Amino acid sequence: MRPMSFGQGGPQSQWDPWTPQSQQQSWNSGSDQTPDWAALAEASEARNKRRRLLFVGGGALATVAIGTAVAMAVVSANGDGGQANNQTSQLPATADIPGTSTAAPPSFAPTSAPPPLDPKDFVSSKEKDTAALSPQILFPGTQLTMGDTVYKKGPTADTTSCASAARQTLPKVLTANDCTRLLRVTYTKDGIAVTVGVAVFDTEAQATKAKEQADDKSIVKSLDGGGVQPFCNAAVCRTTTNSFGRYAYFTIAGFTDGKDVTTKDTEVFATGDDLAEFTFRQIRRRGEAQASAAAAEG
C-alpha cells in the first residue's frame, strides 16, 4: 500500500515519480479538475530520458568493470610473467655463465709400454746387426736336443770366400748376391750326418734373392772331420734352402756310409728339418737379443 500524505491546509505537493516522498495527486479525489495531460507527457518524457541516461551510465559502469577485470587479468598474467622475468633477470651475467673451456684437456702418462721392437729388424741389415758372430755363437755347445732327439756336434768352419764352401750352382748364386761370409757346422746321429751352411749378406733383399735363385743343384759343401766321415760327396743326399733377415741358410743331409738317400729315409728328412728349424731359431734369437738391448738403452 502506498503511503498517504494528508495536507494541513497548505497547497498540495506535485507528485514526482523520481523524487522520494513526493505524492501523486489523486484523479478521483472528488475534484472536477481535469488532468494536465501536457504535464504528464513531459513527466513521461523526463522519465524516459533519465532511464536512457541510467542505461548509458550503467553501460559505462559495465565497461569500466569489464575493463577493470581485464586489467586485473593482465596484471595477474603480468604477475606470473613478472616472476618469470624476475627469474630471467636474476640469471648471472654473461661473464658468470660457464661457457666452453679454452683450457687444454689434461694429459695423462701412457699406462702401457710401447710395442716391442721387431727382432727381424735387427738381423735384416748389417747396420743394425752388429753383435758378434761365429759358428760357436750361432751353434753353441757340444750337442743339440730337438724334442727327444739328441744330435752330436761335429766340426765347424767359417770363411769369407762363400763360393769355396759351396758346390754346383750355389757358388754362382752366392757370388751374384755379394755373400760376405759362410759359416758351417755338422751334426751327427746314428750314421746320419747333416751340414748347415749359413750365408751372410749385407741386406735382407740380397739374402731373399739368393734363396729364390737357388735350385735343386745349389748345394753347400758337407763338412767332415773330427770323427765325422766324409758324406754326400758322391751319394744322393737331401738338401733344403731358406732365409731369414740377411741370412740364407742351407742344409745337406745323408748317410755317413755313402748310401744314397731315398724318399723312404724319413730319418734323414727329419734330421735335415730339425737343423733347419734350429738355425732359424738361432738367427731369430740373435735378433731378439739385439732388440732387447736396444729397448733397454731407450
Side-chain angles (χ1 to χ4, degrees):
M1 178 181 295
R2 289 181 307 194
M4 301 296 293
S5 177
F6 299 92
Q8 298 295 328
Q12 287 185 332
S13 61
Q14 297 295 322
W15 171 71
D16 186 349
W18 299 105
T19 300
Q21 305 302 325
S22 64
Q23 297 179 3
Q24 182 179 4
Q25 183 177 11
S26 176
W27 294 341
N28 299 318
S29 57
S31 170
D32 293 336
Q33 185 178 358
T34 303
D36 189 348
W37 299 107
L40 292 177
E42 290 178 2
S44 176
E45 179 64 24
R47 287 195 304 272
N48 292 335
K49 182 176 181 181
R50 188 166 183 176
R51 186 178 295 111
R52 285 196 300 268
L53 290 175
L54 288 175
F55 288 160
V56 172
L61 290 175
T63 302
V64 171
I66 294 173
T68 301
V70 172
M72 290 178 65
V74 172
V75 170
S76 176
N78 288 338
D80 296 338
Q83 292 178 0
N85 291 336
N86 289 338
Q87 293 174 0
T88 303
S89 63
Q90 292 171 1
L91 289 175
T94 303
D96 298 330
I97 299 176
T100 302
S101 175
T102 58
S107 59
F108 301 94
T111 57
S112 59
L117 300 175
D118 187 355
K120 188 178 180 182
D121 288 344
F122 290 85
V123 292
S124 293
S125 68
K126 68 176 183 178
E127 287 77 17
K128 282 192 173 183
D129 187 17
T130 59
L133 178 64
S134 70
Q136 288 72 28
I137 292 175
L138 202 58
F139 302 100
T142 60
Q143 65 183 30
L144 169 66
T145 301
M146 295 290 289
D148 297 331
T149 306
V150 179
Y151 299 97
K152 182 180 178 181
K153 181 180 175 182
T156 62
D158 185 2
T159 181
T160 57
S161 177
C162 298
S164 66
R167 294 174 56 199
Q168 297 193 33
T169 61
L170 186 57
K172 181 179 179 180
V173 171
L174 298 178
T175 301
N177 291 285
D178 299 322
C179 174
T180 62
R181 192 173 176 183
L182 184 61
L183 296 76
R184 289 181 295 164
V185 63
T186 296
Y187 288 88
T188 61
K189 179 185 181 298
D190 298 336
I192 299 173
V194 56
T195 293
V196 181
V198 180
V200 185
F201 301 85
D202 288 344
T203 66
E204 179 183 8
Q206 292 171 323
T208 301
K209 191 174 181 180
K211 179 190 71 173
E212 292 171 349
Q213 292 177 348
D215 56 25
D216 293 340
K217 296 181 179 181
S218 297
I219 302 171
V220 66
K221 279 185 179 180
S222 62
L223 181 65
D224 55 54
V228 179
Q229 298 296 318
F231 65 101
C232 295
N233 290 328
V236 174
C237 290
R238 194 250 181 164
T239 64
T240 66
T241 301
N242 215 326
S243 69
F244 184 77
R246 68 185 187 115
Y247 300 90
Y249 50 98
F250 311 85
T251 68
I252 183 168
F255 294 107
T256 58
D257 61 2
K259 184 175 63 173
D260 289 341
V261 176
T262 67
T263 56
K264 295 180 181 179
D265 298 317
T266 57
E267 298 89 348
V268 176
F269 281 78
T271 299
D273 291 345
D274 280 350
L275 267 297
E277 174 67 20
F278 179 71
T279 302
F280 163 75
R281 292 180 185 179
Q282 288 299 97
I283 297 172
R284 181 174 176 82
R285 286 192 185 105
R286 176 180 176 84
E288 289 172 345
Q290 295 182 90
S292 178
E297 292 176 359

